[in-house]
Amino acid sequence: QSVLTQPPSMSGAPGQWVTISCTGSSSNIGAGYDVHWYQQLPGTAPKLLIYGNNNRPSGVPDRFSGSESGTSASLAISGLQAEDEADYYCQSYDSSLSGSVFGGGTKLTVL
Amino acid sequence: EVQLVQSGAEVKKPGESLKISCKGSEYRFTSYWIGWVRQMPGKGLEWMGSIYPGDSDTRYSPSFQGQVTISADKSISTAYLQWSSLKASDTAMYYCARSDYFDSKTYFDYWGQGTLVTASS
């Protein structure tokens, strides 16, 4: 069981808006620690998508955005495209484990 | 451009030792942390531990403490992940990744291409 909980799968049609949730606890997201998001395309290494809750590295489209509230965080993808079909992972810091923790990942299917 | 290049795929028998590597280039290797992340077949990402090559400060996830050893040779900008006795359950893809910090703001901005480790009799 992952420390951060994500829905195992989600789907959406091209052009739609989807949000992927990431639920933690008082020792990670709820403690105010930053949440970061990664995209892993099939057969490739993860890629940083969002850092510090809602900052995009250079080259990441503004269709991707992040938010955080209480013990949860969300990744929103607007104008869904076929190339967005991938696994998405949230990551934060956990004070009880004294290190990084990842969500279990969400497989996004573009219908 | 920042690059992390990992060593090639390995096939070993349970009980054998193994050391895989991750070479950084195009940035100051001693000024950033290198983390190791495991991905078992069909599963998610798990942080194993991180090292700061500047002073070899090393932190482990409780789940991996005592199971692996993380080290670095700053003279050749390379970090390592090693096992003294592999188990079949160590079969996985292993990624190295760079981070600015080791604290509540830690995130991994550059990743290696991954090293597939297969431990099978």
Side-chain angles (χ1 to χ4, degrees):
Chain A
Q1 292 284 41
S2 300
V3 172
L4 304 179
T5 301
Q6 298 180 234
S9 63
M10 295 192 69
S11 62
Q16 279 192 330
W17 179 77
V18 297
T19 59
I20 299 173
S21 63
C22 173
T23 302
S25 67
S26 59
S27 62
N28 41 70
I29 300 175
Y33 298 138
D34 286 353
V35 178
H36 322 288
W37 292 89
Y38 302 86
Q39 178 191 60
Q40 187 176 31
L41 296 170
T44 70
K47 167 193 163 187
L48 180 65
L49 199 62
I50 296 285
Y51 67 94
N53 298 319
N54 191 22
N55 297 287
R56 287 184 307 277
S58 173
V60 173
D62 60 8
R63 301 186 296 104
F64 295 91
S65 62
S67 63
E68 176 261 339
S69 177
T71 57
S72 294
S74 294
L75 172 71
I77 310 173
S78 63
L80 204 57
Q81 298 181 4
E83 67 213 46
D84 299 332
E85 188 160 289
D87 293 326
Y88 293 86
Y89 294 91
C90 59
Q91 177 244 320
S92 186
Y93 177 86
D94 190 281
S95 57
S96 59
L97 298 175
S98 298
S100 292
V101 288
F102 286 95
T106 298
K107 182 175 183 63
L108 176 64
T109 300
V110 181
L111 302 170
Chain B
E1 184 191 350
V2 171
Q3 278 200 310
L4 295 173
V5 178
Q6 299 184 229
S7 49
E10 301 275 0
V11 178
K12 293 285 191 179
K13 290 182 167 46
E16 292 186 330
S17 63
L18 175 64
K19 191 174 190 177
I20 62 175
S21 66
C22 168
K23 183 174 176 60
S25 62
E26 302 305 318
Y27 76 97
R28 182 167 292 184
F29 187 72
T30 52
S31 298
Y32 292 81
W33 290 79
I34 292 288
W36 286 96
V37 176
R38 182 176 78 174
Q39 187 168 37
M40 298 179 76
K43 302 298 184 183
L45 306 174
E46 301 172 88
W47 173 72
M48 302 174 71
S50 294
I51 188 167
Y52 189 73
D55 61 7
S56 293
D57 184 7
T58 309
R59 315 290 178 87
Y60 292 94
S61 162
S63 298
F64 292 93
Q65 178 83 48
Q67 306 305 307
V68 296
T69 302
I70 294 171
S71 61
D73 184 341
K74 60 185 179 183
S75 69
I76 55 172
S77 301
T78 302
Y80 302 96
L81 176 66
Q82 68 179 91
W83 295 260
S84 58
S85 180
L86 281 163
K87 305 181 186 69
S89 57
D90 292 319
T91 294
M93 182 71 81
Y94 293 88
Y95 294 102
C96 64
R98 190 187 82 159
S99 63
D100 260 341
Y101 322 95
F102 187 89
D103 60 16
S104 62
K105 298 189 180 302
T106 297
Y107 61 87
F108 302 101
D109 58 357
Y110 288 91
W111 292 67
Q113 82 277 19
T115 295
L116 180 62
V117 172
T118 303
S120 173
S121 52

